[in-house]
Amino acid sequence: MARAATSKAASSGAGPLSNIKPYSASTDEMLRFYKDMLLIRRFEEKAGQLYGLGLIGGFCHLYIGQEAVAVGLQSGLDANKDSVITGYRDHGHMLAYGIDPRLIMAELTGRGAGISRGKGGSMHMFSVDHKFYGGHGIVGAQVALGTGLAFAHKYSEDGGVAVAYFGDGASNQGQVYESFNMAALWKLPIIYVIENNGYAMGTAVERGSSETHFHRRGESFRIPGIQVNGMDVLEMRGATDMALDYVRAGNGPLLMEVKTYRYRGHSMSDPAKYRTREEVQDVREKSDPIDGLKKIMLEAGISEDDIKGIDKEVRRMSNEAADFAESSPEPDVAELYTDVLVGSY
Amino acid sequence: MAIELKMPALSPTMEEGTLARWLVKAGDAVKSGDILAEIETDKATMEFEAVDEGVVSELLVAEGSEGVKVGTVIALIAGDDEEQKPNAAPAQAGAVTEPPASSGPSLRGNEAPVTKPMAAQAVSLEGGTPTTVREALRDAMAEEMRADPRIFVMGEEVAQYQGAYKVTQGLLDEFGAKRVIDTPITEIGFAGIGAGAAMAGLRPIIEFMTFNFAMQAMDHIINSAAKTNYMSGGQMRCPVVFRGPNGAASRVGAQHSQNFAPWYANVPGLIVIAPYDAADAKGLLKSAIRCEDPVVFLENELVYGRSFPVPDGDHSVPIGKARIMREGSDVTIVSYSIGVGLALEAAETLAAEGINAEVLDLRTLRPLDKGAVLASLAKTNRMVVAEEGWPVCSIASEIQAICMEEGFDHLDAPVLRVCNEDVPLPYAANLEKLAVIDAGRIVEAVRKVCYR
């Protein structure tokens, strides 16, 4: 669970990986991290409300509690060359890229203006422009696909690194290890990010995983692993910079276990009976990533007013996204038959 | 008594081979485990080892002989229990003076080599170079790879081993290890890597050693490759080719003998191609590689070694278009892949009975060329579908449905399907033969729909 106070490297003596330092962010960077994390939170809260109103259907997996992971990590990537892929809990990763929240929310409500024209939904969103390759609904599939992205980076010699996010649950899928094997064998430039939020759907990690130290899961493939406190955006960013240096230097894959926590259920339809209210409350009070950064910002002399200004701006953005998603029309019925194939035969 | 050494069957589908090289000569003493010869099969060059001890008394087939049928006696060994046993052997081995090596064997060697044109396979195209299906597939990949650096081939044994079925022979030499990549035995892993690389803009050709193993990888073929373009609203493409042999091979049992065409043809977002002859194998594979959509390209191990004329030059064949293999007026036999050869064979038999059958090769199974099926039905009013695969929820049943729904007024008889028996494929030779379709069964079905 999320109480990892400090980050650590799994393999002893893994030289460049041995000490993860929190990133020393400038004032502007802190303001940006704060805004990005808060936008994810407010956006997801809004999505939860729209789901309750029946405006969002099917499955909807919220990222509340895990905001520091996507924001810290993706702020360190080179947007011109690095690529990202994740599973179905994907709204946060898209928002962390600065993708227009209106297009994401409109996809959640299944509207024609959605980023996938309303045909993907919550779990299937992509932005090839941002080198964000989804948004995949099959647990673990993004790990092999992400390894393919890394293969393409190496093949094209474009200097890019692929980041494949997956959860503690997906870590038990067989294809994860098939991917590890080939990535290590071919020294592919990829960071495997295990977002360990403590629960694989409703199953606590100890009940589903014989090795719960997920940063060790690459050891039999000689993939070094590090463990990072995913409730701290600056630690996330510090670890990311180090991981990117390691992978970009041609050392092959790296495994990053991120200890995090989701406040909401697995999906909107999850009553979360497998954990206590107190447990969630405890994390919220002691380790919340947004409160944590706010504290650091105040200590660094950023004014309450500046922070309030961001709060206001973010609230406006998420309200606007919700309004847009509610009011824009459903896809044209002709869209039913478009995009099945690219060519005509 | 002399022991007869016979041309061995070194692969499940081998019917004949080339005796590439003798490593012994008459008079040599051999013991169990010694390598006697190198034999080229339809898949690889294999070493032929001695099982019995003795002295080679005669080589009956000269080295370099092609098309030596399995079971042909290729050499004689004087057994251990014969008189020259203990000391004669070394003596003979030393006396290399006059081994009748090259004259005698070549005599016998001449009767073995026969290139076997399968009954009705000699479909005359507009000419071209005789090429095996195996070579045609390789040529398609090589030509496309020369033209587009984004294309690479990945799979088990595709590089150093030159392909489990020799389809990728020579590609490693020409294109190097960066573009011809051996994987571990890890189907879902490399299918996912291929799909991911395609999403990132490369043009992967993913070879499955057989499509039986692709079942492990089906999630990526269907959930990742086929649905991406739709789910992304046309933003993200997945131009990958998954190829390899499909359908029953020979005597390899139920887990290695299955036609997956109907499985993949069920999935919107995929292109599914199943060529029959070498010209189509080449032309359609080239189109598949150029295609922006994910393609499942189903080959057939039993036709890899068959030779057909292939038009010279950049020969490509459009996806989604069936072709008439044989014009006819009384009945249409619809088929694809290996079934086309059987349909042509059946048509020959039927012609002798006065039934003029049209043979339609579907070539692409998704999108299916409904127009060609219905046009042929309108012409002949009777139809039989021949499919090397199970009958239930098959391509054959799809064709039947199309004829019912859209060709009803043209039907003079029910559309019949000739498929494999609805059982897992048995191993025993006699049972296997019973389970798999043949020309005789197609002939019978045609007689039925013609009320003859």
Side-chain angles (χ1 to χ4, degrees):
Chain A
M1 262 160 288
R3 261 76 74 183
T6 49
S7 306
K8 64 184 176 194
S11 347
S12 54
L17 298 174
S18 48
N19 63 348
I20 300 164
K21 283 190 275 297
Y23 180 68
S24 32
S26 68
T27 303
D28 281 354
E29 283 172 324
M30 279 197 276
L31 288 168
R32 207 184 84 221
F33 294 162
Y34 181 79
K35 183 181 172 187
D36 288 353
M37 289 198 291
L38 197 64
L39 177 63
I40 295 174
R41 180 151 309 177
R42 296 288 170 260
F43 179 97
E44 294 288 61
E45 286 167 354
K46 205 69 183 169
Q49 282 172 12
L50 296 188
Y51 193 92
L53 293 170
L55 286 161
I56 297 174
F59 297 126
C60 185
H61 310 85
L62 303 182
Y63 202 57
I64 298 175
Q66 301 182 212
E67 297 92 344
V69 182
V71 170
L73 200 151
Q74 283 165 232
S75 71
L77 299 181
D78 182 336
N80 292 318
K81 51 185 187 186
D82 298 329
S83 56
V84 166
I85 193 166
T86 187
Y88 43 74
R89 196 180 304 284
D90 58 353
H91 318 160
H93 303 87
M94 302 202 77
L95 290 165
Y97 264 127
I99 295 168
D100 187 346
R102 293 177 309 166
L103 305 186
I104 304 174
M105 198 68 95
E107 188 60 37
L108 299 187
T109 54
R111 305 306 167 102
I115 194 156
S116 297
R117 298 196 205 183
K119 297 199 286 195
S122 164
M123 300 185 286
H124 310 119
M125 294 193 276
F126 313 82
S127 176
V128 177
D129 287 346
H130 291 84
K131 297 192 181 297
F132 177 76
Y133 292 90
H136 294 268
I138 304 298
V139 176
Q142 75 272 25
V143 181
L145 295 170
T147 307
L149 298 176
F151 179 91
H153 286 307
K154 184 162 189 186
Y155 188 93
S156 317
E157 298 169 16
D158 62 9
V161 169
V163 174
Y165 292 95
F166 52 108
D168 45 281
S171 299
N172 293 326
Q173 287 278 26
Q175 63 177 308
V176 169
Y177 300 94
E178 298 193 15
S179 302
F180 283 3
N181 185 40
M182 285 181 276
L185 200 59
W186 301 334
K187 288 207 181 309
L188 300 182
I190 184 164
I191 305 173
Y192 293 111
V193 183
I194 301 180
E195 294 192 70
N196 177 3
N197 63 20
Y199 297 92
M201 296 196 282
T203 303
V205 286
E206 313 79 52
R207 295 180 56 234
S209 294
S210 56
E211 172 56 275
T212 56
H213 291 94
F214 290 93
H215 58 285
R216 292 188 186 150
R217 289 288 185 102
E219 277 177 12
S220 53
F221 306 94
R222 305 180 181 218
I223 300 176
I226 57 176
Q227 195 183 54
V228 184
N229 176 9
M231 304 305 272
D232 182 333
V233 70
L234 300 179
E235 275 201 42
M236 269 309 300
R237 174 59 190 272
T240 300
D241 286 352
M242 192 191 67
L244 282 168
D245 285 348
Y246 175 84
V247 174
R248 266 198 236 285
N251 291 307
L254 178 75
L255 193 55
M256 184 193 281
E257 177 192 3
V258 173
K259 301 277 260 183
T260 182
Y261 198 80
R262 69 168 148 74
Y263 297 174
R264 296 296 188 91
H266 162 71
S267 69
M268 288 305 297
S269 50
D270 170 15
K273 290 277 166 57
Y274 43 82
R275 61 184 183 188
T276 61
R277 219 169 250 287
E278 289 71 37
E279 178 184 303
V280 182
Q281 207 45 44
D282 192 54
V283 179
R284 270 179 178 275
E285 278 166 16
K286 293 179 184 152
S287 327
D288 186 81
I290 297 173
D291 289 350
L293 180 64
K294 189 174 171 182
K295 217 173 127 206
I296 296 170
M297 285 161 70
L298 290 170
E299 281 164 8
I302 297 172
S303 75
E304 281 272 9
D305 280 354
D306 284 351
I307 295 173
K308 279 209 178 102
I310 294 175
D311 293 354
K312 228 173 125 185
E313 162 73 357
V314 161
R315 213 170 277 284
R316 184 192 60 74
M317 286 170 77
S318 61
N319 284 338
E320 215 178 272
D323 290 345
F324 178 79
E326 229 182 300
S327 60
S328 62
E330 289 188 312
D332 191 279
V333 290
E335 283 288 340
L336 180 61
Y337 300 105
T338 61
D339 306 322
V340 178
L341 294 172
V342 179
S344 30
Y345 306 92
Chain B
M1 241 201 46
I3 298 160
E4 292 184 336
L5 291 183
K6 292 179 178 168
M7 186 69 170
L10 297 168
S11 82
T13 49
M14 177 177 167
E15 288 169 9
E16 58 184 36
T18 298
L19 209 166
R21 198 152 76 94
W22 278 112
L23 296 163
V24 294
K25 55 191 177 310
D28 284 0
V30 295
K31 58 183 191 305
S32 171
D34 285 354
I35 298 160
L36 303 176
E38 285 177 2
I39 291 169
E40 270 177 36
T41 72
D42 53 340
K43 290 181 191 160
T45 301
M46 308 278 283
E47 290 177 338
F48 179 39
E49 289 183 6
V51 177
D52 302 294
E53 307 218 331
V55 173
V56 177
S57 51
E58 198 183 352
L59 302 180
L60 300 170
V61 175
E63 65 179 29
S65 299
E66 291 177 13
V68 183
K69 290 254 183 294
V70 168
T72 308
V73 179
I74 56 173
L76 297 174
I77 288 188
D80 241 358
D81 50 347
E82 279 169 65
E83 61 275 20
Q84 72 268 61
K85 184 186 161 190
N87 43 10
Q92 275 203 5
V96 217
T97 38
E98 29 84 52
S102 54
S103 60
S106 63
L107 235 179
R108 293 292 291 268
N110 280 341
E111 65 184 42
V114 187
T115 29
K116 41 143 197 186
M118 297 285 293
Q121 267 70 26
V123 184
S124 63
L125 287 161
E126 57 281 8
T129 310
T131 311
T132 63
V133 170
R134 169 182 287 117
E135 291 161 348
L137 292 166
R138 192 263 324 274
D139 293 349
M141 288 189 279
E143 287 175 21
E144 292 305 301
M145 287 175 82
R146 278 172 213 137
D148 185 347
R150 297 172 302 169
I151 302 168
F152 66 92
V153 182
M154 177 182 272
E156 293 155 9
E157 313 287 6
V158 298
Q160 287 193 10
Y161 193 86
Q162 306 292 325
Y165 295 96
K166 282 212 272 192
V167 174
T168 53
Q169 193 161 38
L171 294 184
L172 176 64
D173 287 347
E174 181 174 352
F175 299 102
K178 183 186 172 186
R179 298 180 69 191
V180 185
I181 302 147
D182 280 327
T183 66
I185 301 169
T186 180
E187 278 83 10
I188 190 167
F190 68 73
I193 288 175
M199 290 167 181
L202 300 185
R203 296 288 180 139
I205 302 170
I206 302 299
E207 174 174 309
F208 292 113
M209 195 177 285
T210 86
F211 264 92
N212 300 285
F213 311 148
M215 252 203 286
Q216 300 248 12
M218 227 170 208
D219 180 56
H220 282 300
I221 301 174
I222 294 168
N223 270 319
S224 301
K227 298 177 183 174
T228 291
N229 192 58
Y230 194 82
M231 291 196 308
S232 69
Q235 241 195 98
M236 200 162 103
R237 297 176 181 184
C238 192
V240 57
V241 176
F242 297 105
R243 52 152 290 271
N246 171 62
S250 176
R251 306 294 309 283
V252 290
Q255 290 182 335
H256 287 69
S257 310
Q258 187 172 337
N259 175 1
F260 290 93
W263 295 44
Y264 294 111
N266 186 240
V267 182
L270 282 182
I271 301 283
V272 184
I273 297 172
Y276 168 58
D277 64 20
D280 268 14
K282 181 175 181 186
L284 284 164
L285 184 53
K286 284 171 78 90
S287 298
I289 294 167
R290 292 174 193 175
C291 174
E292 288 290 340
D293 292 300
V295 179
V296 170
F297 196 89
L298 304 168
E299 300 156 11
N300 189 293
E301 189 190 331
L302 297 175
V303 300
Y304 274 157
R306 294 189 200 167
S307 212
F308 302 87
V310 172
D312 297 326
D314 180 18
H315 171 67
S316 73
V317 169
I319 292 169
K321 300 279 177 284
R323 71 169 160 173
I324 293 169
M325 297 292 281
R326 186 186 198 282
E327 296 258 12
S329 50
D330 298 333
V331 59
T332 303
I333 307 173
V334 177
S335 194
Y336 64 94
S337 187
I338 194 169
V340 174
L342 300 171
L344 291 168
E345 203 181 318
E348 287 297 317
T349 309
L350 290 161
E353 296 175 15
I355 298 174
N356 187 6
E358 177 147 298
V359 175
L360 187 74
D361 179 359
L362 293 171
R363 304 159 125 187
T364 301
L365 305 175
R366 175 180 271 274
L368 196 68
D369 191 351
K370 273 205 287 193
V373 172
L374 292 167
S376 187
L377 177 67
K379 177 175 155 191
T380 65
N381 307 118
R382 297 162 204 276
M383 189 172 281
V384 166
V385 192
E387 181 172 18
E388 192 279 285
W390 290 316
V392 180
C393 302
S394 56
I395 300 295
S397 44
E398 179 64 20
I399 300 288
Q400 288 177 311
I402 289 168
C403 292
M404 281 288 283
E405 288 174 355
E406 296 176 54
F408 191 75
D409 292 343
H410 291 293
L411 283 168
D412 284 351
V415 177
L416 293 187
R417 59 187 153 173
V418 182
C419 295
N420 292 356
E421 291 303 309
D422 199 15
V423 296
L425 199 72
Y427 167 70
N430 64 329
L431 298 182
E432 184 185 74
K433 202 157 178 267
L434 283 170
V436 177
I437 61 162
D438 54 32
R441 274 172 257 195
I442 301 170
V443 169
E444 235 170 88
V446 168
R447 286 190 197 122
K448 262 189 210 162
V449 300
C450 295
Y451 302 111
R452 296 274 283 264

